[in-house]
């Protein structure tokens, strides 16, 4: 478009860390952090939300695209400029144990299919690459967790923190759902598209580091730590500025 801005800020909704409130406005821990960094960088740009597939495509096709929260995986390492770590989470396959035999690889996951996953998420691609049977992509976590609870899914490729949040939101007891196979602990970042110009990279990197050391950053973290603990049985702690979800 002829009036396209020089800088895009894109996010995928990751409740409860980024979501739309009842007025349709974006809010959450990650939203406030990125808004704080944008203000520090003196960049006035609206944060736009969309599906992951669209966000990744935009970041690959255009320069000066800021995307968050993006899991830093080996496959993505050279595709983005990694600005600032935001959260760290344990990802794996969650479900009701069928017996006492531990699952030690994705080959064993075929014992707990169908497996739900967010469509176009990196975990969806991992399941396809590992040739896991009966992979069922979803448009949202809420529906996937409901189907897991109802027995329509044998398992879900997600995080324990995410599962506990949606079970709490649905007023459901999910204590019988366990982590069956731990895939990895990954950190999500604010990232810039690889072909971003040096000016934007320098401005945003500098602003992010300044904001990380500011009182405002500490205030946001402490405020949201309390709010998140009220929204579910989360195990949360902050280390070196990163919100760890275990």
């Amino acid at each position: 478009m002829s009036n396209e801005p020089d800088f895009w800020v894109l996010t995928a909704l990751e409740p409860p860390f980024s979501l739309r409130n009842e007025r349709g406005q974006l809010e959450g821990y990650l939203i406030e952090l990125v808004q704080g960094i944008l203000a520090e960088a003196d960049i006035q740009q609206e944060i736009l939300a969309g599906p992951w597939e669209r966000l990744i495509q935009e970041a690959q096709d255009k320069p000066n695209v800021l995307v968050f929260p993006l899991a830093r995986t080996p496959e993505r390492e050279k595709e983005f400029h990694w600005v600032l770590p935001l959260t760290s989470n344990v990802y794996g396959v969650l479900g009701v144990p069928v017996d006492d035999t531990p699952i030690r690889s994705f080959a064993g996951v075929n014992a707990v299919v169908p497996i739900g996953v967010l469509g176009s998420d990196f975990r969806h691609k991992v399941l396809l690459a590992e040739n896991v049977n009966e992979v069922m992509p979803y448009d949202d976590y809420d529906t996937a967790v409901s189907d897991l609870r109802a027995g329509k899914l044998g398992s879900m490729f997600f995080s324990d923190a995410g599962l506990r949040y949606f079970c709490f939101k649905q007023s459901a007891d999910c204590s019988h759902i366990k982590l069956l196979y731990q895939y990895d602990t990954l950190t999500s970042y604010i990232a810039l598209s690889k072909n971003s110009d040096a000016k934007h990279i320098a401005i945003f990197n500098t602003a992010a580091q300044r904001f990380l050391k500011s009182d405002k950053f500490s205030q946001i973290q402490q405020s949201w730590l309390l709010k998140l603990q009220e929204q579910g049985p989360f195990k949360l702690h902050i280390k070196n500025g990163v919100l760890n979800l275990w």
Side-chain angles (χ1 to χ4, degrees):
M1 297 184 297
S2 60
N3 60 345
E4 178 178 302
D6 292 331
F7 194 76
W8 291 90
V9 184
L10 307 178
T11 189
L13 301 183
E14 297 274 356
F17 308 103
S18 57
L19 67 160
R20 289 194 186 278
N21 60 27
E22 61 277 4
R23 299 181 299 278
Q25 300 168 328
L26 292 177
E27 65 175 28
Y29 170 69
L30 298 181
I31 300 298
E32 286 195 23
L33 284 190
V34 173
Q35 287 174 335
I37 296 172
L38 289 171
E40 186 71 33
D42 198 24
I43 295 175
Q44 297 180 359
Q45 185 60 47
E46 180 183 5
I47 298 174
L48 304 176
W52 268 121
E53 189 173 18
R54 175 67 185 277
L55 267 59
I56 297 298
Q57 191 64 54
E58 291 289 315
Q60 291 173 338
D61 292 346
K62 295 178 180 177
N64 308 325
V65 176
L66 184 83
V67 60
F68 73 97
L70 188 65
R72 189 169 184 171
T73 65
E75 295 77 17
R76 291 173 175 167
E77 183 64 36
K78 296 182 179 180
E79 295 183 358
F80 295 90
H81 295 283
W82 302 96
V83 177
L84 188 72
L86 297 171
T87 61
S88 185
N89 207 349
V90 177
Y91 294 101
V93 176
L94 298 119
V96 180
V98 293
D99 54 38
D100 294 332
T101 304
I103 296 176
R104 302 189 186 280
S105 69
F106 275 110
V109 172
N110 287 316
V112 287
V113 293
I115 180 168
V117 68
L118 191 68
S120 300
D121 180 76
F122 77 93
R123 286 161 288 195
H124 185 196
K125 296 178 182 178
V126 167
L127 292 176
L128 296 180
E130 294 288 345
N131 296 313
V132 175
N133 299 329
E134 297 184 66
V135 176
M136 295 183 61
Y138 283 79
D139 292 330
D140 62 272
Y141 296 113
D142 217 347
T143 305
V145 171
S146 293
D147 284 357
L148 178 64
R149 291 178 43 238
K152 296 178 182 179
L153 292 173
S155 60
M156 188 174 170
F157 196 7
F158 198 23
S159 69
D160 187 71
L163 174 76
R164 303 305 160 194
Y165 166 73
F166 282 100
C167 288
F168 180 81
K169 181 182 174 185
Q170 295 171 13
S171 300
D173 179 9
C174 294
S175 58
H176 60 298
I177 300 175
K178 308 294 184 182
L179 181 65
L180 306 178
Y181 170 61
Q182 182 169 324
Y183 170 65
D184 204 354
T185 300
L186 296 175
T187 302
S188 294
Y189 276 69
I190 300 172
L192 275 165
S193 52
K194 190 65 176 179
N195 52 350
S196 297
D197 61 59
K199 178 188 71 174
H200 280 96
I201 295 171
I203 289 173
F204 211 82
N205 280 339
T206 301
Q209 292 306 314
R210 283 202 308 266
F211 188 70
L212 185 65
K213 299 174 183 177
S214 70
D215 291 338
K216 182 66 174 177
F217 179 77
S218 297
Q219 291 167 6
I220 291 173
Q221 281 203 321
Q222 293 305 317
S223 172
W224 275 99
L225 195 62
L226 294 175
K227 291 178 183 178
L228 291 169
Q229 288 171 337
E230 294 173 353
Q231 295 184 43
F234 288 120
K235 297 177 181 178
L236 304 171
H237 68 282
I238 295 171
K239 184 176 182 180
N240 298 326
V242 178
L243 180 63
N244 297 303
L245 308 178
W246 63 80

